[in-house]
Amino acid sequence: MKWRKVLLTLAILVAVAGVAGVTAVVLAYHEVTKIDRSNPKIVLDEYLRAALVAKDEVGVDLYECAHPEKLSDLRAMRADLDRRESEFNVQMLVSWGAMTSVDKSGTMELGTSLTVTAMENGVVQGRQTELWYFELIEDDGWRVCGATRSLTPAPAASADS
């Protein structure tokens, strides 16, 4: 009888420890994989990576605001790049540079140069750089709500960059 109580107590302790361990792992996983929307530049970087590099609609949705109608210019750009890849059998690579910011009380405007490089069999076929401005709003963290291509040409990239 005494051994039954000891074994029952041990079984309860093992079960409690197991539940506590699983809970700790789940909480740690949640913390590590949590979306960080605290910095507008990081949000824009992640958004551009999802939209223009990975072509990941789920990733895009994580960083867009609830009403992303003002992102149609960027969507059109992505569609045009996809069309050119298919039509000319090239790979269209998009990169961006440093970001400038203007804080507008609850919104943030970030500017960056988007560089599109056409590659065919690992050889650069062409490169174009455009200046873009992005509007981000503070809504449970920063979210991208607008994208506008500047009419002013972006400064030419140096051969060293």
Side-chain angles (χ1 to χ4, degrees):
M1 185 81 157
K2 186 175 183 179
W3 285 106
R4 280 188 176 169
K5 286 183 179 181
V6 169
L7 289 176
L8 181 61
T9 303
L10 283 174
I12 290 172
L13 287 174
V14 168
V16 168
V19 169
V22 168
T23 301
V25 168
V26 168
L27 290 175
Y29 176 79
H30 175 72
E31 192 62 32
V32 168
T33 59
K34 183 170 63 173
I35 303 298
D36 180 10
R37 293 188 192 95
S38 63
N39 183 316
K41 289 182 179 181
I42 292 173
V43 168
L44 180 57
D45 186 71
E46 291 298 324
Y47 174 79
L48 292 173
R49 189 174 328 298
L52 300 176
V53 177
K55 303 175 193 175
D56 174 15
E57 284 302 315
V58 173
V60 166
D61 289 344
L62 292 173
Y63 297 101
E64 275 185 352
C65 66
H67 303 287
E69 295 82 17
K70 294 191 284 183
L71 291 166
S72 60
D73 287 350
L74 194 71
R75 291 185 205 288
M77 175 190 181
R78 177 72 260 168
D80 183 53
L81 295 176
D82 290 344
R83 179 194 59 77
R84 286 196 245 169
E85 282 183 332
S86 175
E87 187 176 324
F88 300 112
N89 195 30
V90 294
Q91 183 180 15
M92 304 300 284
L93 305 174
V94 182
S95 59
W96 47 95
M99 297 177 192
T100 60
S101 61
V102 177
D103 190 353
K104 296 182 175 181
S105 170
T107 67
M108 178 77 67
E109 181 180 272
L110 297 177
T112 190
S113 294
L114 297 182
T115 300
V116 177
T117 305
M119 302 280 290
E120 183 178 17
N121 298 322
V123 178
V124 174
Q125 299 297 314
R127 180 174 285 133
Q128 177 180 345
T129 300
E130 300 173 337
L131 184 57
W132 281 74
Y133 293 97
F134 297 88
E135 177 187 349
L136 287 84
I137 64 164
E138 176 73 53
D139 178 20
D140 190 25
W142 290 100
R143 297 176 187 272
V144 181
C145 280
T148 307
R149 183 184 335 222
S150 174
L151 299 177
T152 306
S158 70
D160 298 335
S161 54

